[in-house]
Amino acid sequence: MCPARRENQLSIRIRTYLALLFAAVLVLAAMPASATPSKSAKMAQARAVKAQIDRLNNQLDVANENYNEAAVKHRALVAQKRAAQRRETKAKKRINVLSRHLGTRASDMYRTGPLGFIDVLLGAKSFDELATTWDILKELNEDDAEAIGEMKVAKAEAAAARKVFTTKERAAAKQVSVMAAQTASFKRVKAEKASKLNGIEAEIRALEAAEEAAARASSGGGGSDGGNWPNPTIPAHGSVVTYVKSRLGLPYVWAASGPRSFDCSGLTMWAYRQIGIRLPHSSRAQINVGQRVSRANIQPGDLVFFGSPIHHVGMYVGGGMMIHAPHSGDVVKYAPAFRGDYVGASRP
């Protein structure tokens, strides 16, 4: 082949290669950006998802506190129901004793006959004997009347106790239904949260870390002032902070109260129990234990509350920080104490 023809073929191949390369560049340029999402795009997606996650965490907190509140009511109703049952049992025992007594008296009167009373009186041989016999018969009659009256009271008490028992039993069953509904709600919301987190867990954690760092830098300056309350007369329980710190890193678990897992009010309840102070297993109830505390007077050991209606609680540990059990999937940890939904504090 002559040199001129070989050079011409080479030139054709080069042009063909360049055309194919150019076409490939055009195809790549035309591909949608979502095929290879940028880091900034994924973070933007994570921000949108985080807003939804925050909403779901709030729903989980509310469901958890609704469950705890129903459980507290249920325990109280069960105790009242058992007390009513004991009263009814006691009244029925007394009725049985009185029934036997009155049954014996009726049997004796039947055997003696209607003239037995007169025969006894006429059988007296002296006035003294008559007087003594009369007193004995009168006393027996009064005892019988008293027994009949006591039986009426016992029957009324048994009926009243049965009515209370039935009422408390129905109310307790209703609280069990509330607890079951809140558990179902928790499971549904938890599953929805898991599906939204899928694939962007790292980005969500990065956003949460950034938000917490910003809150720390501003000493957690968000939220309301929690009300202007008189200076508390109860001394602060600083020693309780040692106990809540000992639970750092342990997992949040629905409706748990320790010692190895907790929900928010379960953590504060457990910690205070260690110093001999009993709290209810409900943040809504805990805020009403002891004295309310203005933000300016908060001391380590005081409880800080969040949400409207209240559905979260933590323990203030100083420096604008608290320790709390945040939500499902997290652990007991430090966090700014005065975040945006802060509503107040109390000192048990």
Side-chain angles (χ1 to χ4, degrees):
M1 185 181 294
C2 66
R5 186 176 180 183
R6 188 181 298 113
E7 182 179 346
N8 187 42
Q9 288 179 345
L10 180 61
S11 176
I12 291 171
R13 289 174 183 170
I14 291 173
R15 285 198 299 273
T16 301
Y17 173 77
L18 290 174
L20 291 172
L21 181 62
F22 181 70
V25 169
L26 288 177
V27 169
L28 289 172
M31 287 179 66
S34 59
T36 54
S38 66
K39 184 176 181 181
S40 60
K42 196 163 186 180
M43 287 303 292
Q45 178 193 5
R47 288 189 187 91
V49 171
K50 185 180 182 304
Q52 299 175 28
I53 295 298
D54 289 343
R55 175 180 57 81
L56 292 174
N57 281 335
N58 187 67
Q59 291 180 19
L60 290 172
D61 281 348
V62 170
N64 187 58
E65 284 305 294
N66 287 343
Y67 177 93
N68 288 340
E69 198 169 48
V72 168
K73 290 178 181 177
H74 179 258
R75 284 192 293 271
L77 288 165
V78 168
Q80 292 167 9
K81 183 181 78 170
R82 289 173 178 167
Q85 193 171 33
R86 288 192 296 270
R87 291 206 322 270
E88 182 186 22
T89 300
K90 183 178 178 181
K92 284 183 174 180
K93 286 181 178 179
R94 185 59 184 157
I95 289 170
N96 289 336
V97 170
L98 292 168
S99 294
R100 287 194 297 270
H101 169 74
L102 291 172
T104 300
R105 291 286 296 133
S107 177
D108 289 345
M109 288 176 69
Y110 176 78
R111 286 198 303 270
T112 303
L115 296 177
F117 176 74
I118 296 175
D119 292 340
V120 169
L121 287 178
L122 294 178
K125 296 181 175 58
S126 67
F127 179 80
D128 289 340
E129 189 175 335
L130 176 64
T132 301
T133 302
W134 176 261
D135 288 342
I136 292 172
L137 291 172
K138 183 181 177 184
E139 186 176 339
L140 286 172
N141 190 49
E142 289 174 350
D143 286 347
D144 290 344
E146 185 178 345
I148 292 170
E150 190 176 344
M151 176 174 275
K152 289 181 180 178
V153 172
K155 284 185 175 181
E157 169 62 11
R162 169 51 52 176
K163 186 176 181 179
V164 171
F165 175 86
T166 302
T167 301
K168 300 303 181 183
E169 187 173 44
R170 289 174 181 166
K174 183 178 179 180
Q175 293 306 316
V176 169
S177 298
V178 172
M179 291 158 67
Q182 295 306 317
T183 300
S185 175
F186 174 83
K187 290 179 178 178
R188 175 183 56 79
V189 176
K190 185 179 179 182
E192 184 180 352
K193 176 183 170 182
S195 68
K196 291 185 181 298
L197 276 171
N198 188 31
I200 57 170
E201 294 91 340
E203 287 76 14
I204 295 292
R205 284 196 296 270
L207 288 173
E208 289 176 341
E211 287 182 359
E212 187 166 318
R216 286 173 183 262
S218 64
S219 297
S224 70
D225 62 4
N228 185 22
W229 301 94
N231 292 337
T233 57
I234 300 173
H237 305 290
S239 63
V240 75
V241 173
T242 301
Y243 294 101
V244 80
K245 283 182 178 179
S246 73
R247 304 296 97 180
L248 286 167
L250 292 178
Y252 176 103
V253 172
W254 163 268
S257 57
R260 305 302 300 173
S261 59
F262 302 90
D263 66 7
C264 65
S265 56
L267 175 65
T268 51
M269 180 178 75
W270 177 87
Y272 263 95
R273 190 188 304 143
Q274 309 314 304
I275 62 170
I277 296 176
R278 301 191 69 83
L279 298 178
H281 193 179
S282 163
S283 59
R284 294 171 197 164
Q286 287 182 7
I287 196 170
N288 294 315
V289 176
Q291 295 179 336
R292 297 294 298 274
V293 181
S294 299
R295 187 160 164 174
N297 291 326
I298 289 179
Q299 296 294 319
D302 292 346
L303 302 181
V304 285
F305 298 88
F306 307 88
S308 180
I310 291 169
H311 55 258
H312 192 67
V313 59
M315 182 180 294
Y316 187 71
V317 294
M321 301 298 291
M322 69 175 174
I323 291 176
H324 70 149
H327 51 71
S328 179
D330 213 330
V331 298
V332 176
K333 64 183 184 181
Y334 287 94
F338 305 111
R339 65 194 200 191
D341 58 345
Y342 170 81
V343 293
S346 73
R347 183 173 299 170

